[in-house]
Amino acid sequence: MLLLAHPAGHSLSPLMHGAAFRALGLNATYEAVDVAPADLAAAVARLAEPPFLGANVTVPHKEAVAPLMNELTPAAQAVGAVNTIVRRDHRLVGHNTDGEGFLRALSELAPFAALQPADAGRGAAPDLTGRTCLVLGAGGAARAVVHSLLAAGAAVKVLNRNEARAARLVEDLQRVDADERRLTVCAASDLPAQLSHIDLLVNSTSVGMSGGPEPESLPLLEGSQLALLPPAAVVVDLVYRPALTPLLRAASQRGLVVQNGLPMLVWQGALAFEAWTGSAAPVEVMREAAERGLAGRPA
Ligand code: NAD
């Protein structure tokens, strides 16, 4: 298995998948490779032949790889991006497990675990009908998260630094979801009035990420505005480096339930593992490997 990235340095995925292969006694390997954009098509073409079962795809290739697939799953088609490639004979199927991974992670939190359908297994997506979510950001991760929240029944508002980009995301995903009233742009000026109606706030910008554009800042809102959220609101940050981002620190100081991006990373990987191998992923093994890697501890 390969991870197609550029650069390929910091990923936790080789650790997670290596641990999962070992735990299940599978004779497979997972390696991050640095692929420049100009070399992407050739790297993808090689995946169509054994010994590859497939690959993961990450920054900056997730969108560019989609037209190179023989087939896209409905989620990958809707989001317009692929994070997992599965080889079926000589055909490549593009999946996007980020959105489903996000929902599985959400269901680890007590307020959402209670919303899992009664007959669903562990990690099943919660039913978010009647809930309102505010997604900050309008990049690739935001698209996957918004798509999955809509699929789970939630109403979603999207706030982005560049409002035209948020409007494009809304327009694209409204084409997929028939109920247009459930997905709207949130203007920056409207934020204070909206916050009191939000059940779930999700940061899908790269603000707060160490090494990112503004590691010490909160994304698109002031810390004091978190007081406008209902006391039962949940705050999720897709960033996991550092484990407690400025947003999560401010939200937990206000007593809100918070989650960083590590559970989503683990679940998107577990779903990819299942798509490649057909075996149930050893999720806790993968989580421990990711936590060890993040803490800089040896395997
Ligand atoms: P992207 O480049 O496609 O989008 C970045 C977003 O951040 C855009 O909406 C942009 O407007 C916003 N942004 C950037 N700088 C900003 C600033 N200074 N102020 C306000 N907004 C700003 O990136 P992406 O692939 O969508 O990833 C976004 C974040 O989500 C990254 O931190 C990434 O690591 C994280 N992520 C986590 C997981 C996971 O599994 N936990 C999966 C995917 C992405």
Side-chain angles (χ1 to χ4, degrees), residues 234-256:
V234 172
V235 177
V236 174
D237 201 328
L238 302 198
V239 173
Y240 50 82
R241 271 191 188 106
L244 200 59
T245 62
L247 173 66
L248 295 185
R249 182 176 300 114
S252 53
Q253 277 165 358
R254 295 189 180 276
L256 302 173

Side-chain angles (χ1 to χ4, degrees), residues 16 58-59 62-63 83 97-99 101-102 136-145 158-162 165-166 169 203-210 212-214 217-220 236-241 260-269:
M16 286 199 300
T58 189
V59 181
K62 284 184 179 181
E63 284 87 14
N83 78 334
T97 65
D98 281 337
F102 170 79
L136 307 176
R143 280 180 178 258
V145 165
V158 181
L159 172 64
N160 195 45
R161 184 175 48 170
N162 173 344
R165 194 173 179 198
L169 182 161
N203 175 38
S204 53
T205 77
S206 35
V207 175
M209 181 174 74
S210 65
E214 293 188 45
S217 304
L218 270 67
L220 305 173
V236 174
D237 201 328
L238 302 198
V239 173
Y240 50 82
R241 271 191 188 106
N260 69 21
L262 197 69
M264 170 178 170
L265 181 81
V266 171
W267 277 108
Q268 64 75 32

Side-chain angles (χ1 to χ4, degrees), residues 3-49:
L3 168 65
L4 309 182
H6 184 62
H10 299 298
S11 176
L12 297 171
S13 295
L15 295 173
M16 286 199 300
H17 288 293
F21 293 142
R22 282 194 298 279
L24 269 60
L26 297 176
N27 180 20
T29 59
Y30 186 108
E31 187 189 339
V33 288
D34 192 331
V35 178
D39 301 328
L40 183 64
V44 167
R46 279 200 301 277
L47 295 170
E49 305 299 329

